[in-house]
Amino acid sequence: MSGYTGAIFDVDGVLVDSPHEEAWRESLRELMEGPWSDIVSQTSYTPEKFTPALYHERMSGKPRKAGATAALEYFGVPDIDRRVQEYGEYKQEMIIRLISEGRFSAYDDAVQFVVNVKQAGIPIAAASSSKNAKLFLERVDLSRFGAEGNLHGYFDVDVSGRDFAQGKPNPEIFLTAASELGVDPADAFVAEDAVNGIQAAKAGGFGALGVSRADDVDALAAEGADVVVTDMGTIDLSALGRHELVRKS
């Protein structure tokens, strides 16, 4: 079998340490302390119950509406259908503000890996459910990673933030990225930090590279990731040419 001919990268949690979790958590807190204060007693919500585990297990990697729905269902918020849009819009305003304030950082190991993969001749795509992915990627300067320009401009394809009929764990977003790269899913791998992202990669027939940023190595491995790493610099680049996702020996 020939080597991988395409690589697809999630953004939030893989390439950048974004303020999505903070924006979701703080926007719900502000709503519960303000406009929604009258329904707090009807829910199980308290600020300390909005944990990193809640975000990563139920919300991470999902489109805005699905993420908002997951949180409100978890806390038993009444009239969810009416409140989902308000929560999502409130969160979006907050995250735009956090991005403009520079409240995020790129993962150096991931950015260098992206550069190395493309320089090895493998076309690359960004595929995030977030409509904010472009804003993050444009702010990552590649000059110290042996490339020019910003990270967004470095990708051959970007399907992030599109309104797909089905979100992850459905593989539609990754299948679209592969199609636009002109590669067969079996000849591409997906780098993902979320359980539902690994599920989507495997459902689409891709190789699955699990990137653990939240002490969830076992959870990602349990979904069938071909390899799970905490540092993308440990991936054996030469093995990609043999169609293998493995760590350096």
Side-chain angles (χ1 to χ4, degrees), residues 64-158:
R64 190 182 308 162
K65 182 178 180 180
T69 299
L72 299 186
E73 287 180 343
Y74 179 80
F75 290 115
V77 174
D79 302 321
I80 283 182
D81 291 343
R82 181 169 63 84
R83 298 181 191 275
V84 160
Q85 183 173 353
E86 183 178 359
Y87 181 27
E89 290 176 351
Y90 203 99
K91 170 261 179 184
Q92 180 63 10
E93 292 175 2
M94 180 171 289
I95 200 164
I96 293 295
R97 185 170 70 249
L98 294 174
I99 293 171
S100 67
E101 293 172 356
R103 299 269 291 276
F104 77 96
S105 59
Y107 288 111
D108 286 358
D109 63 303
V111 177
Q112 189 65 67
F113 182 72
V114 167
V115 170
N116 292 345
V117 167
K118 183 166 181 176
Q119 290 181 347
I122 301 174
I124 56 175
S128 169
S129 301
S130 173
K131 295 184 183 299
N132 304 301
K134 183 179 179 181
L135 293 175
F136 290 119
L137 298 177
E138 287 179 333
R139 285 164 171 75
V140 180
D141 181 8
L142 295 180
S143 59
R144 63 190 179 90
F145 297 97
E148 297 180 353
N150 66 66
L151 186 53
H152 184 263
Y154 203 65
F155 280 97
D156 299 292
V157 165
D158 180 14

Side-chain angles (χ1 to χ4, degrees), residues 17-249:
D17 183 8
S18 82
H20 274 96
E21 180 183 340
E22 178 182 358
W24 279 120
R25 182 180 62 249
E26 292 305 304
S27 57
L28 185 57
R29 180 185 62 79
E30 290 185 9
L31 285 167
M32 288 296 198
E33 291 177 355
W36 295 359
S37 59
D38 59 319
I39 56 101
V40 174
S41 62
Q42 301 173 48
T43 75
S44 63
Y45 174 80
T46 60
E48 61 271 14
K49 288 182 180 178
F50 197 118
T51 63
L54 165 63
Y55 173 75
H56 284 284
E57 292 171 9
R58 295 175 179 263
M59 303 173 72
S60 178
K62 292 184 177 180
R64 190 182 308 162
K65 182 178 180 180
T69 299
L72 299 186
E73 287 180 343
Y74 179 80
F75 290 115
V77 174
D79 302 321
I80 283 182
D81 291 343
R82 181 169 63 84
R83 298 181 191 275
V84 160
Q85 183 173 353
E86 183 178 359
Y87 181 27
E89 290 176 351
Y90 203 99
K91 170 261 179 184
Q92 180 63 10
E93 292 175 2
M94 180 171 289
I95 200 164
I96 293 295
R97 185 170 70 249
L98 294 174
I99 293 171
S100 67
E101 293 172 356
R103 299 269 291 276
F104 77 96
S105 59
Y107 288 111
D108 286 358
D109 63 303
V111 177
Q112 189 65 67
F113 182 72
V114 167
V115 170
N116 292 345
V117 167
K118 183 166 181 176
Q119 290 181 347
I122 301 174
I124 56 175
S128 169
S129 301
S130 173
K131 295 184 183 299
N132 304 301
K134 183 179 179 181
L135 293 175
F136 290 119
L137 298 177
E138 287 179 333
R139 285 164 171 75
V140 180
D141 181 8
L142 295 180
S143 59
R144 63 190 179 90
F145 297 97
E148 297 180 353
N150 66 66
L151 186 53
H152 184 263
Y154 203 65
F155 280 97
D156 299 292
V157 165
D158 180 14
V159 300
S160 301
R162 297 186 190 176
D163 293 321
F164 291 103
Q166 301 184 76
K168 305 169 191 176
N170 186 282
E172 183 180 10
I173 186 172
F174 297 143
L175 293 172
T176 301
S179 176
E180 295 191 12
L181 282 175
V183 301
D184 189 282
D187 294 325
F189 68 87
V190 171
E192 259 285 356
D193 72 308
V195 165
N196 62 4
I198 296 295
Q199 292 171 340
K202 300 305 289 186
F206 297 88
L209 166 54
V211 184
S212 175
R213 306 292 192 191
D215 194 25
D216 54 356
V217 170
D218 292 342
L220 296 173
E223 298 301 334
D226 295 278
V227 64
V228 181
V229 298
T230 57
D231 180 347
M232 295 180 77
T234 63
I235 293 293
D236 187 339
L237 282 167
S238 65
L240 299 179
R242 302 190 298 272
H243 207 279
E244 297 177 2
L245 284 169
V246 295
R247 296 181 188 84
K248 297 174 183 175
S249 58

